[in-house]
Amino acid sequence: MFVRVLLLVLIALTAWALFARDSGAGGPERAYRVQSGDTLWSIAARRYGGDPREGVWKLRDRNDLAGTTITPGQVLRLP
């Protein structure tokens, strides 16, 4: 009996994993226009709690940046 219940749970979890989709409830995309004197580090420190290194990584990844160089006027998509 226990094996059947376990098998049923595994099948249900597998089906859920295959068909689950993003709900789109993340809200509208946010953007930030880079100001003179801004760095990825300073933006990450202001926008994200905790260690700014993770925020810098997220900013680089979200904006497809090869490095950490940003310029005033550049618009960054915020994760």
Side-chain angles (χ1 to χ4, degrees), residues 11-71:
I11 291 171
L13 285 174
T14 302
W16 174 77
L18 291 173
F19 297 109
R21 293 193 178 102
D22 182 19
S23 68
E29 183 174 73
R30 297 177 300 157
Y32 176 78
R33 185 172 301 276
V34 176
Q35 305 297 313
S36 180
D38 278 343
T39 63
L40 286 180
W41 187 273
S42 67
I43 296 168
R46 282 193 311 265
R47 298 281 178 171
Y48 307 105
D51 190 352
R53 289 178 288 190
E54 184 176 349
V56 169
W57 182 85
K58 288 178 181 180
L59 284 167
R60 286 183 61 190
D61 185 54
R62 181 75 171 110
N63 292 282
D64 298 321
L65 300 174
T68 57
T69 303
I70 55 176
T71 57

